[in-house]
Amino acid sequence: MDNKRIATLTLDDGRSIELPILSGTLGPDVVDMRALSKLGVFTYDPAFFATASCTSAITFIDGDAGLLYYRGYPIEQLAEKSDFLEVCYLLLNGELPSAVQKEEFRSIITHHTMVHDQLARFFNGFRRDAHPMAVMVGVVGALSAFYHDSLDINNPQHREISAHRLLAKVPTLAAMAYKYNVGEPFIYPKNKFSYVENFMYMMFGTPAEDYVPNPILVRALERIFILHADHEQNASTSTVRLAGSSGANPFACVASGIAALWGPAHGGANEAALKMLEEIGDVSRVKEYVQGVKDKKYKLMGFGHRVYKNMDPRASVMRSTCYEVLKELKLENNKLFQLAMELEKTALSDPYFIERKLYPNVDFYSGIVLRAIGIPTNMFTVIFALARTIGWVSQWNEMIADADHKIGRPRQLYMGEVKRDFVALEKR
Ligand code: CMC
């Protein structure tokens, strides 16, 4: 990094400080504010609109240009030419694997897919109608009780094993959460299937019948996994990093990421988008619904993004996948999908959305694809969590591997009462 450039900050009392300007390999420069505390003041940036919370070499986003790179590779190329496990290897290790490394990685992950039999009992503690994300927060967190003793987070091999376990076992737990919800028996993983096929098998297979995956649907789900694998320092990833910065167990940290992802402003958006389409109900109601958005009664779910203010590059890939899947399943004339396309068209041509740079994000289309594949709405965010697990664990690993990392500890602008004396109960 280039540390020679300086920004000077002068306070209204005349005190000033020189702050280094840092340049990354891509993206805007950042002003290194760490020395500011010497003046006894802090920066105030509650939702991190202008704050870089760490350095990272994993994912790059340029929101204005609509770029997303994993380890330098554009997302469009990865979605077109790669597969999910290869992308996982890339995110975790920094480079694409050789053929030998790829096969070795596939074999390791495949042979870690079963969960401890005792874990299955955790599910019985949940109501059958529990939201699968609530179940996931619990059971992924519970993994920390199974692999706690052998884990020295300062040992790179131990961290690698934890990453492999998470990558391999989260799909098994996700499928179990679904099976528990619908009252069907758990389906054990099958090693003859690819990572994505195996997940579909555990979701849709039954002990009564053979399961034959549809390659177009497998490819669509593979793309959803690739597109959601990492996204720089978003809310859930920052949560995982903050939890991990204290030296906490990685399975527990990933559970905290799942909790953060659940919200409708983040990973819950594809579920919320589908529910919104169902609420609108008919193409004839699109205009009226959009008017409600413009009157600020509610937001258009699956639209807008904190970082992408031009277009979400993941949305373009997902849009074409969406058409592929609808064609394969002969669903082009389905009422819900026609309604989605009408909503997209209406919003894209309306000045309210154009002025605010509000475009459909990846979740608008991924919700439609997941619905077409047969994944129930309440599992949408679970799919996102499954795919994002590799991002979370890669970011956690990157942070712990940095010998200089410290516990994250934001400060605050205190707006409460000034000092006052305790008032006895009879005087209140
Ligand atoms: N529908 C209608 N208006 C919107 C929307 C929307 N989805 N998103 C933003 N706006 C308006 C907002 O009301 C504001 O208008 P005004 O200037 O008149 O006050 C303006 O656009 C700027 O919005 P903002 O709230 O400052 O934008 P933000 O960067 O804080 O919010 C967001 C980003 C993703 C939380 C928001 O766009 C949103 O809630 N979208 C719907 C939920 C969604 O689809 N989330 C998934 C994001 S993609 C998955 C992921 O990466 O996690």
Side-chain angles (χ1 to χ4, degrees):
M1 280 183 194
D2 174 11
N3 280 7
K4 293 185 191 107
R5 291 157 58 220
I6 296 289
T8 305
L9 184 101
T10 306
L11 299 182
D12 56 357
D13 61 8
R15 290 180 301 152
S16 80
I17 190 159
E18 292 192 332
L19 301 162
I21 300 174
L22 310 178
S23 298
T25 49
L26 286 172
D29 292 341
V30 301
V31 181
D32 181 347
M33 303 302 289
R34 283 174 293 182
L36 192 62
S37 60
K38 285 187 196 150
L39 293 185
V41 294
F42 302 118
T43 55
Y44 177 66
D45 185 19
F48 300 105
F49 276 90
T51 297
S53 60
C54 61
T55 57
S56 181
I58 300 177
T59 293
F60 173 74
I61 300 175
D62 182 332
D64 292 325
L67 304 178
L68 169 60
Y69 301 162
Y70 293 164
R71 301 282 190 185
Y73 294 103
I75 193 68
E76 297 85 350
Q77 291 184 26
L78 293 169
E80 184 62 32
K81 298 176 181 163
S82 189
D83 58 66
F84 181 62
L85 270 193
E86 189 170 63
V87 167
C88 291
Y89 184 98
L90 172 71
L91 288 169
L92 197 56
N93 299 296
E95 296 297 337
L96 287 168
S98 67
V100 173
Q101 288 167 329
K102 187 172 173 171
E103 175 47 30
E104 196 182 54
F105 189 64
R106 192 204 58 75
S107 171
I108 291 170
I109 301 305
T110 304
H111 290 96
H112 273 98
T113 47
M114 291 208 304
V115 293
H116 193 290
D117 214 37
Q118 204 69 9
L119 245 176
R121 299 184 180 214
F122 276 72
F123 287 84
N124 290 329
F126 291 98
R127 284 168 48 141
R128 290 269 176 192
D129 62 355
H131 194 288
M133 280 298 273
V135 176
M136 288 301 281
V137 173
V139 293
V140 173
L143 285 174
S144 56
F146 289 79
Y147 307 108
H148 188 76
D149 295 346
S150 59
L151 185 63
D152 168 9
I153 59 163
N154 295 313
N155 180 329
Q157 276 83 37
H158 285 207
R159 290 202 303 276
E160 188 179 42
I161 294 169
S162 300
H164 292 164
R165 284 187 171 134
L166 275 160
L167 183 55
K169 294 181 199 304
V170 166
T172 310
L173 293 174
M176 287 168 89
Y178 169 66
K179 289 297 196 190
Y180 184 73
N181 189 250
V182 294
E184 289 182 12
F186 295 147
I187 300 293
Y188 290 118
K190 210 173 251 321
N191 291 355
K192 71 171 182 176
F193 288 130
S194 74
Y195 187 88
V196 178
E197 285 171 347
N198 184 49
F199 174 65
M200 291 178 84
Y201 164 66
M202 291 189 293
M203 280 284 295
F204 300 122
T206 69
E209 279 182 16
D210 285 341
Y211 180 74
V212 184
N214 174 329
I216 298 216
L217 303 190
V218 170
R219 186 71 197 132
L221 198 54
E222 186 114 36
R223 286 218 174 119
I224 290 183
F225 286 2
I226 293 173
L227 298 179
H228 287 85
D230 195 45
H231 212 228
E232 208 240 47
Q233 308 310 320
N234 54 82
S236 58
T237 303
S238 300
T239 302
V240 171
R241 276 187 179 258
L242 195 55
S245 73
S246 71
N249 178 286
F251 301 99
C253 295
V254 167
S256 74
I258 295 175
L261 185 76
W262 192 0
H266 191 9
N270 51 14
E271 178 174 346
L274 232 282
K275 281 191 180 145
M276 173 190 75
L277 293 177
E278 279 163 349
E279 193 187 316
I280 300 172
D282 194 81
V283 175
S284 62
R285 288 202 54 230
V286 166
K287 280 212 164 58
E288 175 196 336
Y289 194 86
V290 168
Q291 190 54 49
V293 173
K294 290 174 8 184
D295 295 341
K296 297 208 182 282
K297 289 185 189 152
Y298 37 76
K299 277 190 172 174
L300 207 49
M301 299 316 287
F303 277 69
H305 200 273
R306 168 61 61 82
V307 180
Y308 297 121
K309 296 298 179 193
N310 197 337
M311 66 114 181
D312 178 346
R314 305 167 301 171
S316 320
V317 178
M318 203 56 325
R319 190 175 193 274
S320 52
T321 303
C322 184
Y323 281 100
E324 255 172 60
V325 168
L326 297 186
K327 190 163 168 242
E328 167 69 12
L329 298 175
K330 302 189 177 30
L331 284 171
E332 295 115 313
N333 296 324
N334 175 282
K335 200 175 158 191
L336 196 75
F337 304 134
Q338 293 218 323
L339 167 56
M341 295 310 128
E342 180 62 25
L343 186 63
E344 179 202 44
K345 206 170 84 193
T346 309
L348 286 177
S349 58
D350 190 303
Y352 178 94
F353 296 90
I354 295 168
E355 278 159 20
R356 288 171 180 74
K357 301 189 170 185
L358 296 170
Y359 299 89
N361 58 48
V362 63
D363 287 330
F364 183 71
Y365 302 107
S366 68
I368 300 171
V369 174
L370 289 172
R371 162 60 61 93
I373 291 175
I375 309 247
T377 317
N378 65 1
M379 282 294 291
F380 286 8
T381 318
V382 175
I383 302 285
F384 192 159
L386 186 170
R388 185 55 59 83
T389 295
I390 187 60
W392 290 328
V393 76
S394 302
Q395 300 264 356
W396 167 82
N397 186 46
E398 182 182 63
M399 178 185 67
I400 304 286
D402 178 354
D404 289 336
H405 94 267
K406 292 188 170 49
I407 185 168
R409 178 54 169 93
R411 301 304 297 262
Q412 62 172 7
L413 175 63
Y414 177 69
M415 298 294 276
E417 296 288 347
V418 297
K419 179 178 178 285
R420 49 184 174 164
D421 288 326
F422 182 78
V423 180
L425 185 60
E426 61 278 13
K427 295 204 173 142
R428 277 177 239 159

